[in-house]
């Protein structure tokens, strides 16, 4: 369950935050799991993301752990940061599309738009972001 990402099921202690930037393919959609979006999908409303983020921030905010041991304070701050990162990534359609493409194994360069860094110099040009958005939206419509 989603709470297993944040708290130990046995003792209720705050767990260390998982790193969404690790190359661990088993959790390629971590940011979706953090905000309870299951299955991961492109079609999201900002309202559902905001409700999830605010609920988690009430539970994980470091101020709630001000008298806790140092490691619990650190874990709480890291978990709150992960929630903020998930919200910032998923609420922006372009960032969400890039994140989903990376999770699917596509090479998406941050600094050069939507291009594939590994494809540079191989005759593969940048991928048109409008085309990518159209493809993502069409795939979402087909899946629904």
């Amino acid at each position: 369950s989603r709470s297993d990402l944040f708290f130990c099921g046995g003792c209720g202690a705050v767990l260390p935050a998982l790193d969404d930037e690790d190359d661990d393919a088993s959790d390629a959609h971590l940011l979706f799991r953090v905000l309870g979006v299951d299955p991961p999908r492109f079609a999201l409303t900002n309202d559902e993301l905001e409700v999830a983020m605010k609920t988690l921030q009430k539970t994980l905010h470091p101020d709630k752990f001000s008298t806790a041991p140092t490691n619990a304070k650190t874990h709480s701050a890291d978990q709150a940061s992960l929630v903020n990162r998930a919200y910032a990534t998923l609420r922006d359609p372009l960032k969400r599309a890039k994140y989903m493409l990376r999770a699917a194994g596509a090479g998406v360069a941050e600094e050069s738009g939507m291009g594939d860094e590994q494809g540079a110099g191989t005759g593969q040009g940048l991928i048109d972001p409008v085309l990518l958005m159209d493809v993502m939206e069409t795939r979402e419509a087909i899946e629904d």
Side-chain angles (χ1 to χ4, degrees), residues 3-19:
S3 64
D4 294 342
L5 290 174
F6 307 110
F7 298 99
C8 173
C11 68
V14 182
L15 295 172
L18 297 174
D19 188 354

Side-chain angles (χ1 to χ4, degrees), residues 41-43 133-144:
R41 62 189 187 280
F42 184 76
M133 291 300 289
D134 286 345
V135 170
M136 291 290 292
E137 289 171 357
T138 301
R139 291 188 78 180
E140 288 289 330
I142 291 170
E143 289 175 7
D144 292 338

Side-chain angles (χ1 to χ4, degrees), residues 8-101:
C8 173
C11 68
V14 182
L15 295 172
L18 297 174
D19 188 354
D20 67 307
E21 296 175 8
D22 282 345
D23 289 334
D24 182 6
S26 68
D27 212 357
H29 291 101
L30 174 64
L31 298 184
F32 286 98
R33 283 187 46 222
V34 165
L35 294 180
V37 178
D38 187 32
R41 62 189 187 280
F42 184 76
L44 298 171
T45 66
N46 283 343
D47 287 344
E48 72 179 301
L49 294 174
E50 187 173 345
V51 166
M53 182 268 300
K54 286 182 177 180
T55 300
L56 288 168
Q57 287 297 9
K58 286 178 187 173
T59 305
L60 296 167
H61 196 279
D63 288 349
K64 290 193 72 156
F65 298 88
S66 62
T67 59
T70 303
N71 67 338
K73 290 179 195 177
T74 302
H75 295 335
S76 168
D78 292 344
Q79 292 283 18
S81 177
L82 177 61
V83 169
N84 288 337
R85 194 163 57 251
Y87 179 68
T89 299
L90 299 182
R91 75 175 174 183
D92 180 288
L94 184 57
K95 288 179 183 178
R96 185 181 331 133
K98 287 180 179 183
Y99 180 74
M100 291 180 79
L101 287 168

Side-chain angles (χ1 to χ4, degrees), residues 109-122:
E110 287 296 324
E111 62 278 345
S112 61
M114 296 294 285
D116 181 348
E117 286 180 314
Q118 289 80 24
T122 62

